Amino acid sequence: MKDYERKNVALARTLRKNMTPEEKHLWYDYLCSYSDRFQRQKPIGNYIADFYCAKARLVVELDGSGHYIKGQPEYDKERTEYMKTLGIEVIRFTNIDIAKKFSGVCIAIDKAVKVRKKSLLPSTALPPSSSK
């Protein structure tokens, strides 16, 4: 994905070095070895996605307590809508999901990747034949 704000590159690099415990858990225990490549703290437009799979055009976001303070839900909605305009789906999990339902989160991500990749495949249907 080439559309991003250059100022976010340094911030993304810093965020990669300072991941939350939940981000580290998801990254090191699942996404870093996932069959399709995920990137951490990926700049997209004016935002930085927690995890991004280009092959599936899928963003995985982890929401800690900061996502529930005044104004943040609206910001998250705006960000998700922006991603949709780029053809990117956003799926969200809470930090509690990571701590208590980790295998379920992994299953959900795997399913989302497979569904998205299948939906992004070029159509293999043959054009209608002309009968003359």
Side-chain angles (χ1 to χ4, degrees):
M1 172 132 301
K2 60 186 178 218
D3 183 28
Y4 61 87
E5 294 288 328
R6 289 189 63 73
K7 66 180 180 177
N8 285 339
V9 173
L11 177 58
R13 198 172 291 130
T14 300
L15 290 171
R16 270 183 234 121
K17 290 178 183 175
N18 298 297
M19 291 192 300
T20 67
E22 294 80 11
E23 288 171 336
K24 285 180 185 178
H25 183 25
L26 184 59
W27 177 252
Y28 290 110
D29 296 329
Y30 188 63
L31 293 179
C32 74
S33 60
Y34 189 76
S35 58
D36 292 304
R37 181 175 183 246
F38 271 87
Q39 295 172 275
R40 300 177 290 160
Q41 306 302 335
K42 172 71 175 158
I44 300 174
N46 197 33
Y47 302 100
I48 299 174
D50 288 341
F51 302 100
Y52 177 65
C53 177
K55 228 176 203 177
R57 300 190 62 74
L58 178 71
V59 165
V60 176
E61 287 292 317
L62 298 187
D63 294 348
S65 60
H67 285 266
Y68 304 101
I69 60 173
K70 185 177 179 177
Q72 191 63 42
E74 295 80 11
Y75 176 82
D76 288 343
K77 183 177 179 183
E78 176 184 300
R79 170 190 170 118
T80 297
E81 290 301 318
Y82 173 76
M83 297 293 177
K84 281 184 188 177
T85 68
L86 300 177
I88 299 170
E89 182 179 340
V90 177
I91 58 174
R92 306 183 96 76
F93 301 97
T94 66
N95 285 348
I96 293 169
D97 292 332
I98 298 297
K100 297 189 179 217
K101 305 174 192 173
F102 187 71
S103 63
V105 168
C106 296
I107 290 167
I109 292 170
D110 183 56
K111 182 178 179 181
V113 168
K114 288 175 179 169
V115 167
R116 290 285 299 165
K117 281 175 50 180
K118 188 174 183 179
S119 72
L120 295 172
L121 286 176
S123 175
T124 56
L126 296 174
S129 62
S130 62
S131 50
K132 288 188 179 183

